[in-house]
Amino acid sequence: MNAVKQERLQNRLGPEISEFRQSCQTIQLATVDADGKPNVSYAPFALLDDGYYVLISQIAKHARNLLENPQVSLMMIEDEASSKTIYARKRLTFEANVVVVERETEKWLAAVEQLKERFGEIIDGLSGLEDFKMFRFEPTQGLFVKGFGQAFQVSGDDLVDFVHLQEGHRRIKDGSEVTQPTEER
C-alpha cells in the first residue's frame, strides 16, 4: 500500500478505533495455564501510553494463568444490543505480552489513578488488597473488524500500521466473492 493510501486509512480508522476503545470499559482476556488449558475472562481496564492496565486478584484463575504464562489475547467487542448484526460485531483484538507492575512504583500509581478515574472509589479498596496484582498488557499485533469484509490489521505501537486484509468470503457454488452476507446472486 502506498504512503498516501496508508495515511488516508490511518486518518479514517485511527479516530474510529480510539473512540471504540474509549467506549469499552472492559477487556476480554484469553489466557492459558501452565498445562495449556485455556480460560476466558474479562477485566475493567485503563489505557496508558505503554499499554492496557488491569487490576486482578491472583485468586482468580486468569490472574494465575497470567503469572504462569505471560501471554494473552485481548478483545474489546461491540455490545450485542447495539450491533447491526450479531455475526459482524465491531471488535478490536490484540496479542499482547504481560508485565506485572510492582506496587507503589510510578507505573502502579499512574495506573491506579487512571483506573480510579474510570471506575471510582472501588479501586482504592481493591488496590489496597494484597492479592490484587496490576498487569500491563503490551499489544504486539491485532485486528480491527468493522463488519463483514472490513477487517484491518493493527500494529501494537499506537495503532499506526493499518493493512486492509484482502481475502474475502467465497460462495460455495461458483467461488465468486461475497461483498455483503445478504448479497443476492
Side-chain angles (χ1 to χ4, degrees):
M1 177 180 290
N2 72 39
V4 173
K5 285 184 181 179
Q6 186 73 27
E7 184 177 348
R8 273 191 262 148
L9 190 58
Q10 172 67 43
N11 290 338
R12 183 170 54 91
L13 289 179
E16 184 175 348
I17 289 172
S18 180
E19 181 181 316
F20 175 70
R21 186 179 49 221
Q22 290 303 317
S23 74
C24 296
Q25 292 190 355
T26 62
I27 195 163
Q28 282 71 40
L29 313 171
T31 63
V32 178
D33 70 14
D35 296 324
K37 293 180 184 171
N39 177 259
V40 66
S41 189
Y42 81 97
F45 75 94
L47 182 65
L48 277 70
D49 290 341
D50 59 348
Y52 297 86
Y53 285 77
V54 298
L55 188 61
I56 308 171
S57 168
Q58 68 184 34
I59 295 169
K61 183 170 181 58
H62 57 284
R64 292 191 317 270
N65 288 353
L66 292 168
L67 293 167
E68 293 174 356
N69 186 353
Q71 295 182 43
V72 66
S73 181
L74 309 171
M75 181 172 68
M76 287 163 273
I77 189 164
E78 179 180 30
D79 189 295
E80 293 175 7
S82 61
S83 176
K84 292 179 185 175
T85 175
I86 199 71
Y87 278 97
R89 291 162 64 192
K90 187 182 292 187
R91 59 199 174 274
L92 179 61
T93 59
F94 278 106
E95 293 175 12
N97 297 318
V98 178
V99 176
V100 177
V101 179
E102 296 298 320
R103 276 185 186 275
E104 303 308 319
T105 61
E106 187 177 318
K107 290 291 182 186
W108 169 275
L109 297 172
V112 166
E113 186 61 35
Q114 185 64 31
L115 285 164
K116 186 175 174 182
E117 189 175 306
R118 289 193 84 192
F119 305 111
E121 298 299 319
I122 191 171
I123 301 304
D124 284 335
L126 298 177
S127 64
L129 298 173
E130 189 176 288
D131 59 295
F132 273 79
K133 302 290 183 198
M134 183 74 70
F135 295 93
R136 181 176 77 230
F137 302 136
E138 301 171 341
T140 55
Q141 61 181 350
L143 190 67
F144 179 59
V145 178
K146 290 179 56 168
F148 286 110
Q150 298 178 66
F152 301 87
Q153 291 179 343
V154 181
S155 72
D157 59 343
D158 297 331
L159 306 175
V160 294
D161 184 27
F162 294 99
V163 179
H164 184 265
L165 301 179
Q166 300 297 321
E167 190 173 316
H169 300 289
R170 300 243 178 243
R171 294 198 181 283
I172 293 173
K173 291 182 183 177
D174 64 7
S176 62
E177 189 162 338
V178 175
T179 58
Q180 294 295 323
T182 57
E183 175 185 285
E184 296 294 324
R185 281 275 175 190

